[in-house]
């Protein structure tokens, strides 16, 4: 269809939408494009789905602040401030600029308008009316103030018929531009204090709208303000008036609730007696009654399935995910809406209701902070986000902290999590707090929908990973020998020299090469990460643990020390270096003494080319046996391997099974013991005895990490129970109850101090197990 009308009396073809990603603006853009206007659009924070919808309709998206030179008119969202770059440019170009509501009133001026207005539920009611009229093949256009849950019905459409259905917003005062044929006021509640300073101002605005309505006004029987306006401010007989609701002219009862819908028994003026509504709850039953009443008044043919195909509206009690946790999102941003939402969620059963709430606008928060607290107290657990400003500047009493203060007065603050300025941390806390069976609702009119969808995406990934773990465990248990240890969520901290860290999702101690191979092959089939754990030195395990298969060669079969006839010694990968030195001493084999004080195993020492007292692991290696992550065994002579400082390339993606070592010579055990004692004395004098992970940082070029940390005055510096050792500044020690977070915090503090005082960027030498340092520094 292409019947482009004049705009404000002018021939206009090229229109630019500013703030086009908003739920009021985007459908208007679609309607204008379908009318034949050339529409361009911009937004400072696009929702990808909305942007794609506009682009599919031929609306060209420009960069933020990129008002094209050839535009004739700018339509802006009321959330866009006058100082926005494109508004300033439009002013400089002398272009007319109008608000969304003004433009909507202008483009529907030649039609018979059904205006859906009110404080709560107008988007759902509009969507239900569109659904019923579509099913009845009633010719009309429409402009919704949101998006349907599915794309089968667009949020805006033009039509040849004389009628158009539109959601009309009162928030910015542009409601005074409309003169509808039919007005449907779903309910009236004082809101938008930035425009309506007092309730009487809102009452006057709706009284004037009712007075301009030409044919009929429909109001809720539960809305006292609507009834007062009708009785005191609308001239009797000038316009038909009807009520809808439990006791209205068009009334209903809920006869039955199903999983995703409900059955209504209709009465009064309704010609239809029963209808199924594909939406739950009392609030949606009232919305359905309003939509069906207007559809019948328009002459549409209704039947029991008129709303059975209702797709729902995005962010209106929209189901995002259902598994062990059921997750909804809802646009509720007023206390009345929140109470209705929680009531609806409660009807689903005895599940714990968890709410994430993002207040919308500082002015609204200041106006209703006590009411928000009272409504939100109905949640079993509340996660409170910071206010979404919507272009407003902060106002006194209008922050999330003010709602939190009100919640404290109600005595429910122990159910509330509020982390000012840290919404990311808030959602991470939410993830750990959820329990199977919970009902979770993301609530608010700001950008919380992005947080909700990101949260759901992460949850789905977690659920897919958990399914993979269950598949792995089911398969691997049938393949392992009884001597192999396999556990879930075993704590790793006690297995490390630092004594910090959480659990492994799965922990295994294979008793043989074959069991090790089976573990690797099955993990590969299930696409699960594998990590090796030796003696647990030179690494920090995160407090939350690792979501991986952690393999430790701690079984006695991996502890072998076997002198060979050719003078070499076979040492298995799980043998502790201290034990290696002890056994070599007993056997009169010299050359391994420098390893005695390294708190590790043979496998770890090979992977890291561990060193101390001027000696390095590969100084004594002749040949290494390893297993690839695909389960293949390889034998590699030292000359074929790529080894440098604290690194062996071939063992970064493989597991050392053991090695043949070359003693320097045979010697008397007493002489070997004397050398070990000398090293021990030096180590005791220069290194701390408290739990540590060894040297924390690599030595920078031309100096030592310990020296620069010491010169920065950091010895004794603490975060929690993590402390820079007073004995050696390149050691962080655990004073008893340190956490991984303490250690990471101290690492950050050390790096920052050394960077500021010496200009040196210290690089961690210890591993952050299962993670990368760059992700936390």
């Amino acid at each position: 269809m292409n019947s482009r009308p004049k705009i404000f009396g002018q021939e206009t073809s090229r229109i630019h939408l500013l703030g086009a990603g908003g739920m009021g603006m985007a459908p208007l853009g679609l309607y204008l494009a379908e009318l034949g206007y050339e529409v361009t659009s911009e937004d400072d924070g696009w929702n990808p789905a909305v942007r794609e919808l506009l682009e599919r309709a031929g609306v060209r998206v420009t960069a933020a602040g990129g008002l094209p030179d050839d535009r004739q008119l700018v339509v802006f969202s009321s959330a866009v401030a006058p100082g926005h770059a494109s508004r300033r440019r439009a002013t400089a170009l002398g272009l007319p600029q109008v608000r969304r509501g003004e433009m909507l009133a202008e483009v529907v001026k030649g039609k018979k308008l059904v205006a859906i207005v009110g404080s709560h539920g107008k988007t759902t009611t509009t969507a239900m009316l569109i659904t019923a009229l579509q099913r009845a093949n009633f010719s009309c256009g429409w402009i919704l103030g949101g998006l349907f849950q599915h794309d089968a019905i667009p949020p805006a459409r033009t039509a040849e018929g004389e009628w158009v259905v539109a959601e009309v917003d009162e928030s910015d005062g542009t409601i005074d531009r409309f003169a509808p044929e039919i007005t449907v006021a779903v309910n009236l509640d004082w809101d938008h204090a930035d425009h309506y300073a007092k309730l009487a101002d809102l009452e006057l605005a709706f009284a004037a709208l009712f007075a301009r309505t030409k044919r009929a006004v429909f109001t809720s029987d539960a809305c006292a303000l609507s009834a007062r306006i009708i009785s005191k401010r609308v001239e009797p007989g000038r316009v038909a008036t009807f009520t809808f609701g439990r006791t209205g002219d068009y009334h209903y009862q809920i006869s039955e609730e199903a999983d995703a819908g409900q059955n209504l028994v209709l009465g009064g003026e309704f010609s239809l007696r029963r209808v199924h509504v594909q939406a739950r709850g009392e609030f949606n039953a009232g919305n359905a009654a309003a939509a069906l009443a207007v559809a019948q008044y328009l002459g549409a043919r209704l039947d029991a399935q008129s709303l059975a195909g209702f797709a729902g509206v995005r962010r209106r009690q929209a189901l995002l995910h259902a598994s062990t946790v059921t997750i909804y999102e809802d646009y509720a941003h007023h206390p009345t809406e929140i109470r209705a939402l929680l009531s609806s969620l409660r009807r689903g059963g005895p599940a714990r209701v968890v709410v994430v709430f993002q207040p919308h606008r500082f002015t609204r928060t200041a106006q209703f902070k006590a009411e928000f607290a009272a409504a939100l107290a109905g949640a079993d657990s509340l996660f409170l986000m910071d206010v979404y400003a919507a272009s407003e500047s902060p106002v006194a009493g209008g922050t999330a902290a003010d709602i939190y203060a009100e919640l404290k007065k109600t005595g429910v603050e122990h159910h509330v999590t509020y982390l000012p300025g840290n919404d990311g941390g808030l959602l991470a806390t939410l993830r750990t707090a959820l329990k199977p069976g919970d009902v979770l609702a993301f609530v608010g009119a700001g950008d919380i929908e992005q947080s909700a969808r990101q949260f759901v995406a992460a949850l789905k990934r977690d659920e897919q990973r958990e399914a993979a773990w269950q598949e792995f465990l089911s398969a691997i248990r049938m393949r392992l020998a009884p001597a192999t240890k396999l556990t879930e969520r075993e704590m790793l901290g006690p297995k490390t020299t630092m004594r910090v860290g959480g659990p492994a999702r799965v922990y295994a101690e294979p008793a043989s090469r074959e069991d090790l191979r089976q573990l690797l092959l099955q993990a590969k089939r299930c696409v699960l990460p594998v990590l090796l754990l030796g003696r647990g030195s030179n690494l920090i395990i995160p407090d939350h643990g690792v979501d991986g298969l952690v393999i430790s060669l701690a079984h006695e079969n991996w502890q072998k020390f076997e002198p060979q006839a050719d003078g070499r010694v076979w040492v298995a990968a799980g043998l502790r270096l201290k034990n290696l030195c002890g056994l070599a001493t007993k056997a009169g084999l010299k050359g391994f003494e420098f390893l005695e004080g390294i708190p590790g195993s043979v496998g770890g020492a090979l992977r890291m080319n561990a060193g101390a007292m001027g000696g390095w692991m590969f100084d004594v290696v002749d040949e290494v046996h390893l297993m690839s992550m695909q389960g293949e065994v390889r034998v590699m002579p030292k000359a074929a391997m790529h080894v440098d400082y604290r690194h062996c390339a071939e063992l970064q993606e493989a597991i050392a099974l053991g090695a043949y070592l070359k003693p320097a010579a045979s010697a008397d055990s007493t002489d070997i013991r004397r050398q070990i004692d000398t090293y021990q004395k030096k180590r005791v004098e220069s290194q701390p005895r408290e739990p540590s992970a060894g040297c924390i940082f690599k030595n920078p070029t031309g100096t030592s990490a310990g020296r620069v940390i010491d010169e920065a005055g950091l010895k004794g510096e603490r975060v929690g129970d993590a402390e820079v050792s007073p004995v050696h500044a390149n050691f962080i020690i655990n004073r008893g109850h340190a956490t991984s977070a303490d250690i990471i915090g101290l690492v950050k503090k050390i790096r920052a101090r050394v960077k500021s005082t010496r200009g040196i960027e210290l690089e961690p030498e210890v591993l952050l197990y299962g993670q990368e340092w760059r992700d936390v520094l």
Side-chain angles (χ1 to χ4, degrees):
M1 177 180 177
N2 190 329
S3 55
R4 190 172 68 208
K6 290 183 179 181
I7 299 295
F8 302 107
Q10 301 295 317
E11 290 289 350
T12 304
S13 60
R14 299 182 298 280
I15 301 171
H16 186 70
L17 302 185
L18 182 53
M23 288 300 98
M25 290 289 285
L28 177 60
L30 296 176
Y31 193 82
L32 290 170
E34 198 166 317
L35 282 174
Y37 295 98
E38 182 190 311
V39 183
T40 55
S41 63
E42 65 171 287
D43 197 284
D44 291 341
W46 282 106
N47 178 314
V50 174
R51 175 172 178 156
E52 181 183 351
L53 185 70
L54 288 170
E55 289 180 322
R56 282 204 313 263
V59 176
R60 180 161 60 90
V61 174
T62 68
L67 172 64
D69 294 335
D70 64 346
R71 298 297 93 179
Q72 297 168 301
L73 175 68
V74 172
V75 183
F76 63 90
S77 162
S78 293
V80 178
H84 189 280
S86 285
R87 288 198 63 186
R88 292 200 311 270
R89 176 165 164 73
T91 300
L93 293 173
L95 296 179
Q97 302 176 54
V98 298
R99 290 171 291 178
R100 178 258 182 192
E102 293 169 318
M103 188 64 183
L104 176 60
E106 183 68 14
V107 297
V108 301
K109 193 165 56 177
K111 296 281 188 177
K112 290 181 178 179
L113 171 66
V114 179
I116 316 296
V117 301
S119 303
H120 322 297
K122 55 182 175 287
T123 303
T124 299
T125 302
T126 306
M128 286 181 169
L129 177 55
I130 293 166
T131 301
L133 294 176
Q134 279 286 99
R135 177 175 170 81
N137 293 317
F138 184 91
S139 178
C140 69
W142 65 80
I143 306 170
L144 187 64
L147 303 180
F148 282 95
Q149 189 65 25
H150 306 300
D151 293 336
I153 304 180
R157 176 173 289 172
T158 61
E160 295 288 352
E162 60 183 350
W163 289 96
V164 63
V165 176
E167 177 181 342
V168 175
D169 179 31
E170 81 280 6
S171 64
D172 60 359
T174 53
I175 196 171
D176 63 6
R177 303 300 179 96
F178 294 87
E181 198 78 13
I182 298 171
T183 295
V184 186
V186 288
N187 49 59
L188 303 181
D189 222 336
W190 184 31
D191 197 359
H192 309 294
D194 54 327
H195 191 82
Y196 302 102
K198 51 188 184 296
L199 179 60
D201 297 334
L202 184 76
E203 184 174 341
L204 284 172
F206 280 97
L209 177 69
F210 291 175
R212 291 192 302 273
T213 301
K214 300 165 187 172
R215 186 178 299 191
V217 174
F218 290 76
T219 60
S220 168
D221 66 350
C223 181
L225 180 55
S226 294
R228 187 166 75 235
I229 294 172
I230 293 293
S231 65
K232 293 186 176 182
R233 296 183 181 275
V234 175
E235 180 183 345
R238 195 201 66 76
V239 64
T241 60
F242 303 95
T243 57
F244 56 85
R246 284 280 187 173
T247 60
D249 299 320
Y250 293 83
H251 59 254
Y252 68 89
Q253 290 182 340
I254 299 174
S255 64
E256 182 184 10
E257 285 200 330
D259 288 342
Q262 56 191 327
N263 295 324
L264 305 184
V265 176
L266 305 179
E269 296 291 331
F270 277 119
S271 58
L272 185 66
R273 290 306 172 209
R274 293 183 179 275
V275 70
H276 178 76
V277 181
Q278 193 67 7
R280 289 171 57 92
E282 182 70 39
F283 201 71
N284 280 322
N287 293 335
L292 292 169
V294 175
Q296 177 178 309
Y297 186 80
L298 288 170
R301 297 188 307 275
L302 301 180
D303 59 44
Q305 300 299 307
S306 287
L307 291 177
F310 177 57
V313 179
R314 293 188 195 182
R315 302 183 72 180
R316 271 49 171 205
Q317 208 168 323
L319 180 64
L320 297 182
H321 186 61
S323 59
T324 57
V325 177
T326 303
I327 304 178
Y328 295 94
E329 64 172 342
D330 197 274
Y331 199 69
H333 54 285
H334 186 281
T336 300
E337 297 165 348
I338 292 170
R339 284 194 296 272
L341 171 65
L342 293 182
S343 174
S344 177
L345 295 177
R346 290 284 184 203
R347 292 171 73 93
R352 196 173 72 121
V353 175
V354 181
V355 171
V356 183
F357 177 57
Q358 182 190 54
H360 184 260
R361 293 184 178 272
F362 296 111
T363 51
R364 180 181 289 115
T365 304
Q367 180 184 2
F368 294 120
K369 55 181 178 286
E371 292 84 351
F372 275 128
L376 292 165
D380 296 304
S381 182
L382 172 65
F383 290 78
L384 185 59
M385 297 177 71
D386 288 321
V387 173
Y388 180 79
S391 79
E392 286 189 342
S393 298
V395 300
T399 68
D402 294 295
I403 296 178
Y404 185 57
E406 293 292 333
L407 284 160
K408 285 184 176 180
K409 295 178 184 178
T410 69
V412 300
E413 71 275 10
H414 56 289
H415 295 309
V416 181
T417 302
Y418 173 48
L419 304 177
N422 185 14
D423 286 347
L426 184 84
L427 295 176
T429 304
L430 168 67
R431 181 67 186 91
T432 61
L434 285 179
K435 302 174 182 177
D438 281 352
V439 172
L440 170 63
F442 285 86
V443 181
D447 60 2
I448 189 174
E449 66 164 330
Q450 297 175 26
S451 299
R453 292 176 189 279
Q454 290 167 5
F455 185 87
V456 168
L459 182 63
K460 287 180 177 178
R461 289 193 296 270
D462 289 347
E463 290 175 345
Q464 290 167 357
R465 176 62 70 87
E466 184 57 29
W469 280 120
Q470 294 306 320
E471 179 186 350
F472 169 80
L473 289 166
S474 176
I476 198 63
R477 285 185 174 124
M478 299 185 296
R479 292 172 166 81
L480 298 179
T484 288
K485 177 178 179 178
L486 186 75
T487 60
E488 295 184 68
R489 298 181 175 88
E490 178 144 340
M491 293 301 293
L492 298 179
K495 302 179 188 298
T496 72
T497 58
M498 188 57 122
R499 301 288 188 266
V500 302
R505 177 60 187 85
V506 176
Y507 175 80
E509 292 179 2
S512 65
R513 288 190 179 191
E514 177 56 24
D515 278 7
L516 173 61
R517 190 177 76 87
Q518 290 295 334
L519 286 163
L520 294 175
L521 289 176
Q522 193 59 41
K524 186 175 185 296
R525 290 189 193 104
C526 295
V527 196
L528 294 169
V530 177
L531 298 94
L532 274 295
L533 182 67
R535 178 76 171 82
S537 61
N538 204 47
L539 56 83
I540 307 296
I541 294 175
D543 294 322
H544 59 264
V546 291
D547 184 33
L549 167 62
V550 174
I551 295 176
S552 175
L553 303 183
H555 191 277
E556 62 181 10
N557 290 344
W558 299 96
Q559 315 297 317
K560 294 177 180 177
F561 177 93
E562 298 174 342
Q564 305 294 302
D566 60 5
R568 298 184 302 171
V569 180
W570 169 256
V571 290
L575 181 65
R576 293 177 61 179
L577 297 177
K578 185 179 181 67
N579 291 347
L580 186 159
C581 290
L583 292 168
T585 300
K586 284 184 180 179
L589 300 176
K590 187 177 180 181
F592 308 114
E593 298 85 342
F594 71 96
L595 294 170
E596 191 275 343
I598 299 175
S601 62
V602 167
L606 291 168
R607 186 177 189 275
M608 293 291 293
N609 188 24
M613 304 300 170
W616 299 94
M617 184 65 189
F618 270 85
D619 291 346
V620 296
V621 168
D622 182 60
E623 180 179 281
V624 176
H625 292 208
L626 57 85
M627 183 178 288
S628 73
M629 304 308 284
Q630 292 73 41
E632 299 172 352
V633 175
R634 296 175 63 193
V635 176
M636 299 194 70
K638 172 183 172 180
M641 303 185 77
H642 300 82
V643 179
D644 53 24
Y645 177 71
R646 305 293 193 200
H647 185 265
C648 174
E650 284 72 19
L651 291 175
Q652 302 310 300
E653 298 296 332
I655 301 172
L657 304 174
Y660 283 105
L661 306 183
K662 294 186 301 182
S666 296
D668 183 76
S669 296
T670 303
D671 293 337
I672 298 173
R673 183 72 252 174
R674 189 179 300 114
Q675 182 62 61
I676 288 174
D677 290 343
T678 301
Y679 286 156
Q680 282 183 333
K681 182 174 184 297
K682 183 178 180 181
R683 187 174 291 109
V684 168
E685 292 172 350
S686 63
Q687 294 181 7
R689 308 314 301 160
E690 296 85 357
S692 77
C695 289
I696 292 290
F697 297 102
K698 295 178 182 178
N699 288 329
T701 303
T703 186
S704 72
R707 179 177 296 113
V708 296
I709 296 169
D710 191 2
E711 290 172 353
L714 285 163
K715 277 187 174 179
E717 189 78 21
R718 289 180 69 152
V719 172
D721 257 12
E723 179 182 327
V724 177
S725 170
V727 176
H728 192 309
N730 199 21
F731 281 69
I732 290 178
I733 58 175
N734 183 350
R735 281 295 185 188
H737 299 92
T739 64
S740 176
D742 292 341
I743 296 164
I744 291 170
L746 188 52
V747 166
K748 290 179 179 179
K749 183 179 285 190
I750 294 168
R751 294 180 82 239
R753 179 82 63 83
V754 171
K755 176 72 172 178
S756 65
T757 59
R758 295 291 301 274
I760 295 173
E761 194 86 61
L762 289 177
E763 181 181 350
E765 179 171 289
V766 295
L767 301 176
L768 187 57
Y769 201 64
Q771 289 185 252
E772 297 291 339
W773 279 107
R774 63 173 175 268
D775 295 333
V776 300
L777 294 180

